[in-house]
Amino acid sequence: MRILLFGIAMILWSACLPAQAQSSDSERLGMALEYFQGGKYHESLLILQKLDRKYRLNPRFRAYMGVCYYYEWDYANATACLDSVIPQLTAFSPQERSFYYFADAESHFNLHQYAQALPLYEQMLTLCRDNEKPDAYYRIAFIYVSREEWIPALDHFQSALVYYQRYRPDETARITQIRNMINGCCAKINNRD
């Protein structure tokens, strides 16, 4: 699958380049994609930034840049990049798009921009696999806690607990934390009555 994506990306990229630049810039793009796939996000980002300044990369490559910013903990640039390209990525697979939504949501969450993070997590949940849902439910619950909306917080912590127990039972500390948060939400709900 990665080889197919790489091949398609290279064909699309080379069609957009002038003949004299195709060779070296195509090689740079190939190197950036190899770095990206190998988890060398900083190196990939440096190359993609240069190519973007020169050619204005297509939305998918700009999404790769956003992911690189996310892994570099540069959340402001990650959100700027991903917010602008996600609406243009509807043709891509649900799994690929779900990760872009997640990286964008996490970046907004880490910037304490909860209003922007919430719909991104919710959209991610409609696209991702079940084993990817625990973190999104957990973060959504915390957004509701920050708003002191205890019933939706409780609902999302309970969903997170179910998904963690089913798909990540070895994360015992997180499961214990979620149980404590559920108890805290219940106490807040009971104190309101």
Side-chain angles (χ1 to χ4, degrees):
M1 181 67 171
R2 283 185 173 181
I3 294 171
L4 177 64
L5 288 174
F6 180 76
I8 292 170
M10 292 305 297
I11 290 168
L12 291 172
W13 175 256
S14 63
C16 299
L17 296 176
Q20 69 272 19
Q22 281 186 8
S23 177
S24 63
D25 287 338
S26 290
E27 289 171 7
R28 285 187 189 108
L29 180 64
M31 187 181 306
L33 294 174
E34 286 179 31
Y35 282 142
F36 185 87
Q37 292 173 346
K40 296 181 178 180
Y41 300 107
H42 181 75
E43 293 84 351
S44 179
L45 180 60
L46 293 174
I47 296 169
L48 289 172
Q49 285 172 327
K50 286 179 185 176
L51 292 172
D52 188 50
R53 282 192 296 271
K54 189 172 182 180
Y55 297 106
R56 182 71 177 156
L57 295 174
N58 71 37
R60 178 181 250 165
F61 294 127
R62 292 189 51 73
Y64 291 169
M65 287 174 56
V67 170
C68 290
Y69 283 125
Y70 166 71
Y71 281 121
E72 288 285 303
W73 301 339
D74 185 350
Y75 301 124
N77 278 321
T79 60
C81 198
L82 290 169
D83 286 348
S84 69
V85 297
I86 284 176
Q88 301 171 51
L89 301 175
T90 57
F92 298 111
S93 75
Q95 291 77 30
E96 182 176 355
R97 289 181 12 236
S98 75
F99 185 75
Y100 298 141
Y101 278 107
F102 182 75
D104 198 12
E106 285 285 286
S107 297
H108 280 291
F109 187 90
N110 286 311
L111 293 170
H112 305 283
Q113 299 170 346
Y114 302 131
Q116 293 91 337
L118 181 60
L120 295 166
Y121 284 123
E122 290 170 339
Q123 188 62 40
M124 178 235 171
L125 286 170
T126 68
L127 299 169
C128 69
R129 295 185 176 114
D130 286 345
N131 64 341
E132 298 168 330
K133 292 182 178 183
D135 292 331
Y137 279 120
Y138 180 74
R139 293 285 203 235
I140 291 170
F142 268 101
I143 291 170
Y144 283 116
V145 165
S146 75
R147 297 176 177 182
E148 296 185 12
E149 296 179 30
W150 306 113
I151 293 174
L154 174 62
D155 290 343
H156 286 87
F157 277 128
Q158 289 172 333
S159 294
L161 180 62
V162 168
Y163 280 95
Y164 273 109
Q165 287 175 326
R166 180 158 186 193
Y167 295 103
R168 300 190 201 163
D170 56 322
E171 294 188 36
T172 56
R174 176 60 55 92
I175 290 169
T176 300
Q177 180 186 27
I178 292 171
R179 285 189 176 123
N180 290 335
M181 296 303 291
I182 287 171
N183 291 335
C185 288
C186 289
K188 290 287 189 180
I189 292 167
N190 290 334
N191 287 337
R192 285 190 341 193
D193 295 336

